Amino acid sequence: MERKRPGMPSGARMPHQGAPMGPPGPPYGGSPAVRPGLPSPVMEPSRKRPAPSQQVQQQQQQQQQQQQQQAVQNRARKKPVGFPGANEMPARQMDMREPQSDPTLGSNAKRRKMADKILPQRIRELVPESQAYMDLLAFERKLDQTIMRKRVDIQEALKRPMKQQKRKLRLYISNTFNPARPDADDSDGSIASWELRVEGKLLDDPGKQKKKFSSFFKSLVIELDKDLYGPDNHLVEWHRTATTQETDGFQVKRPGDVSVRCTLLLMLDYQPPQFKLDPRLARLLGIHTQTRSCIIQALWQYVKTNKLQDSHDKEYINCDKYFQQIFDCPRLKFSEIPQRLTNLLLPPDPIVINHVISVDPNDQKKTACYDIDVEVEDPLKSQMSSFLLSTANQQEIATLDNKIHETIESINQLKIQRDFMLSFSRDPKGYIQDWLKSQSRDLKLMTDVVGNPEEERRAAFYHEPWSQEAVSRYFYCKIQQRRQELEQALAVRNT
């Protein structure tokens, strides 16, 4: 009587099919996703492990994954040259697709790495001239590191407030006079009028984008003679708003045939805002107009210089006679100073320019010039910002990187084909045997087969001492399973 393995139906055998010869990749059949020549694994249920519980199944899956990874590593060291492993996908099939153009890759698409550009050591030994490429690759790595470090330094520098630079703003004030013409058809020409122009530009402006004249001011008020134009029409005002369009100058046109005295009040647009100090505090600190942070810093410097900080409680300041006159208290916390400064800070004084609008023809070509000190941003700041936002060469660099990766992968494929041909030509029989053994090991991992199919083909395998115990355990499990089914059926019937 033939003895068979528990759970193995008679006549069940592992299907064996020959694999076509030839190296992976073109021109021998493209780039299959699995080992060349393997059929779709169709295993009988009796050869599979019985379905365990969920927790046991998870543990088994983890063990299987570890075994597969270890087997892949072993094959990488031992498998015949020229054949990718069963769990390896050819590089050209997976890497050559772009994540942006292929929606099948999804968000987990393989990203290009610097290591993918490196030529293997064996290729470098075959082609000594490839060392020049490796030197360029090392130089590129150093250059990328330097650029990245500089970008980080620029980002940190932009976070810190940069010192404003003082420049000269030249102001030009001129006027023209249009005498009355009795033969004029329109009403504007029949009445004498004058036109006042206020223009300006920044001297020695290194920036590529010239700043408009109005961008330096918060408001502009031109006060004309009240006796000539009345209390309701003697002021011309311009104030900055959120929707203000910048301009290179201002023009004011009024009727009149006599010279007019006017006063220009220019309020600079300080960035960051500046304030005029109370006269007592200004004399004490020697500051007339400055930003809030600079004023607080000057106060702290005065406290340290005169040793006004309390020796026992560092949070308090003992006011001297000047501080008592200004803050009206003998002792205060330093954290209270910003709040107390609110009443001591005033809007900065406007720039006042007195000008005479002349209607004398001899004075028409005269232009009054004034230089005003203004603070502008360091042009280096805009250059650093534009450098961080610049993406002009990114597309070109990405295209060249893709070409490099394609070339390296092509070289690797050619190296695999060359090694295959060399190994097969040296020992065809041994090479094919090693290949078949490697495929057999891969098939076990892919189909999750228990045991050794080659040994199970022999009758002596089923005469081993373990067979009696295996049969007993098999029937015991079947009896227990049937018993549970009957108990469940009886319990349902009783309820």
Side-chain angles (χ1 to χ4, degrees):
M1 178 178 179
E2 183 183 359
R3 303 179 67 182
K4 57 183 180 179
R5 186 179 178 183
M8 186 72 176
S10 60
R13 289 293 182 267
M14 184 75 180
H16 291 278
Q17 296 183 11
M21 300 299 295
Y28 295 94
S31 300
V34 295
R35 187 179 291 271
L38 281 180
S40 302
V42 180
M43 295 302 299
E44 299 170 357
S46 58
R47 300 293 298 274
K48 299 283 185 178
R49 292 191 181 96
S53 62
Q54 185 175 3
Q55 183 176 5
V56 175
Q57 188 174 4
Q58 291 178 355
Q59 295 177 356
Q60 292 178 353
Q61 289 178 355
Q62 294 177 357
Q63 294 177 358
Q64 292 170 9
Q65 292 177 357
Q66 294 177 357
Q67 293 175 359
Q68 291 177 1
Q69 294 176 358
Q70 184 65 30
V72 170
Q73 294 176 0
N74 293 337
R75 287 198 306 276
R77 295 190 296 266
K78 300 179 181 179
K79 68 182 179 182
V81 179
F83 291 93
N87 297 323
E88 298 175 2
M89 183 176 291
R92 178 168 292 278
Q93 182 177 357
M94 181 171 65
D95 295 346
M96 285 298 99
R97 296 179 292 179
E98 292 295 336
Q100 294 83 357
S101 60
D102 193 349
T104 60
L105 292 178
S107 59
N108 295 326
K110 179 182 177 183
R111 300 190 61 178
R112 306 285 192 184
K113 296 181 180 178
M114 191 70 178
D116 297 337
K117 296 182 180 180
I118 299 177
L119 285 174
Q121 182 65 31
R122 291 185 178 181
I123 296 179
R124 281 181 274 169
E125 293 174 356
L126 291 174
V127 186
E129 294 82 359
S130 62
Q131 185 61 36
Y133 167 76
M134 298 302 297
D135 294 340
L136 287 175
L137 206 61
F139 180 76
E140 181 191 8
R141 188 182 300 110
K142 292 181 180 179
L143 183 61
D144 289 342
Q145 293 174 355
T146 303
I147 293 176
M148 183 59 64
R149 185 170 62 251
K150 291 299 181 182
R151 290 179 72 91
V152 173
D153 293 342
I154 291 174
Q155 290 175 354
E156 294 298 327
L158 289 176
K159 293 178 181 179
R160 298 189 295 268
M162 301 186 69
K163 187 176 180 181
Q164 301 281 343
Q165 292 187 349
K166 288 189 176 182
R167 296 295 176 86
K168 292 289 184 181
L169 177 65
R170 180 152 294 177
L171 188 65
Y172 302 96
I173 303 176
S174 61
N175 68 276
T176 58
F177 174 68
N178 300 317
R181 292 178 298 171
D183 56 345
D185 296 336
D186 55 349
S187 58
D188 294 339
S190 61
I191 300 175
S193 62
W194 52 261
E195 183 176 337
L196 177 66
R197 295 179 182 176
V198 181
E199 302 169 320
K201 67 177 182 179
L202 196 65
L203 300 180
D204 301 330
D205 189 2
K208 295 182 179 179
Q209 296 181 352
K210 304 296 183 181
K211 294 188 67 174
K212 297 288 187 179
F213 171 70
S214 61
S215 63
F216 293 98
F217 300 97
K218 186 183 296 184
S219 64
L220 170 64
V221 178
I222 301 176
E223 184 178 354
L224 303 175
D225 192 344
K226 189 184 296 186
D227 297 335
L228 292 176
Y229 294 96
D232 298 331
N233 199 28
H234 76 292
L235 290 179
V236 180
E237 299 182 75
W238 172 86
H239 298 281
R240 173 179 297 282
T241 61
T243 59
T244 297
Q245 295 291 333
E246 305 296 348
T247 178
D248 284 327
F250 302 94
Q251 296 180 358
V252 178
K253 189 175 183 180
R254 288 290 186 273
D257 55 359
V258 296
S259 298
V260 181
R261 292 183 175 274
C262 67
T263 303
L264 282 74
L265 303 177
L266 302 170
M267 181 64 71
L268 289 174
D269 186 17
Y270 295 103
Q271 294 296 336
Q274 295 189 9
F275 303 91
K276 176 186 174 183
L277 277 69
D278 181 272
R280 297 171 299 174
L281 187 59
R283 288 194 300 269
L284 182 66
L285 300 179
I287 298 176
H288 183 268
T289 303
Q290 195 51 266
T291 61
R292 184 186 292 269
S293 59
C294 292
I295 295 171
I296 295 177
Q297 185 177 2
L299 281 170
W300 174 242
Q301 190 65 34
Y302 179 84
V303 169
K304 290 196 301 182
T305 303
N306 294 275
K307 299 180 180 179
L308 301 181
Q309 191 174 15
D310 195 308
S311 58
H312 300 288
D313 192 350
K314 301 292 186 180
E315 189 178 1
Y316 282 88
I317 296 172
N318 299 319
C319 298
D320 57 4
K321 61 179 182 179
Y322 303 108
F323 265 35
Q324 291 183 16
Q325 293 176 5
I326 296 171
F327 296 108
D328 196 20
C329 62
R331 194 166 181 260
L332 79 160
K333 290 184 178 180
F334 191 82
S335 58
E336 298 175 0
I337 289 182
Q339 182 180 359
R340 291 177 176 270
L341 275 178
T342 305
N343 298 328
L344 300 173
L345 299 181
L346 308 173
D349 293 334
I351 299 173
V352 181
I353 299 176
N354 296 314
H355 184 72
V356 178
I357 303 173
S358 176
V359 297
D360 187 354
N362 297 325
D363 296 338
Q364 293 298 305
K365 296 182 180 180
K366 292 182 179 180
T367 301
C369 297
Y370 302 90
D371 286 344
I372 302 173
D373 290 330
V374 295
E375 292 184 349
V376 297
E377 286 187 349
D378 192 342
L380 184 61
K381 183 176 182 180
S382 59
Q383 295 177 8
M384 291 191 298
S385 300
S386 62
F387 172 75
L388 293 178
L389 300 176
S390 175
T391 57
N393 298 326
Q394 295 299 321
Q395 187 65 29
E396 182 181 359
I397 294 174
T399 304
L400 294 175
D401 280 343
N402 288 334
K403 290 183 179 179
I404 293 174
H405 283 97
E406 292 175 2
T407 305
I408 295 299
E409 289 170 0
S410 177
I411 292 174
N412 290 332
Q413 286 289 339
L414 294 174
K415 176 67 169 56
I416 291 175
Q417 295 179 14
R418 178 184 180 276
D419 291 342
F420 169 82
M421 297 299 180
L422 287 176
S423 301
F424 185 73
S425 63
R426 291 167 184 166
D427 186 10
K429 179 181 177 181
Y431 188 79
I432 295 301
Q433 288 179 351
D434 293 340
W435 180 30
L436 292 176
K437 290 179 182 179
S438 175
Q439 281 193 322
S440 177
R441 289 193 299 268
D442 294 342
L443 187 61
K444 286 184 183 180
L445 294 174
M446 292 170 59
T447 56
D448 197 18
V449 177
V450 180
N452 190 341
E454 185 65 26
E455 294 179 359
E456 292 173 6
R457 294 176 58 235
R458 315 290 179 181
F461 177 76
Y462 300 96
H463 292 280
E464 297 290 338
W466 57 266
S467 59
Q468 292 294 336
E469 182 182 358
V471 171
S472 301
R473 290 193 178 190
Y474 174 77
F475 282 113
Y476 177 77
C477 292
K478 287 294 183 180
I479 292 172
Q480 292 296 327
Q481 181 180 359
R482 185 60 180 168
R483 181 179 179 180
Q484 291 179 0
E485 294 176 356
L486 292 174
E487 289 178 352
Q488 291 178 357
L490 292 174
V492 172
R493 184 178 299 177
N494 292 333
T495 57

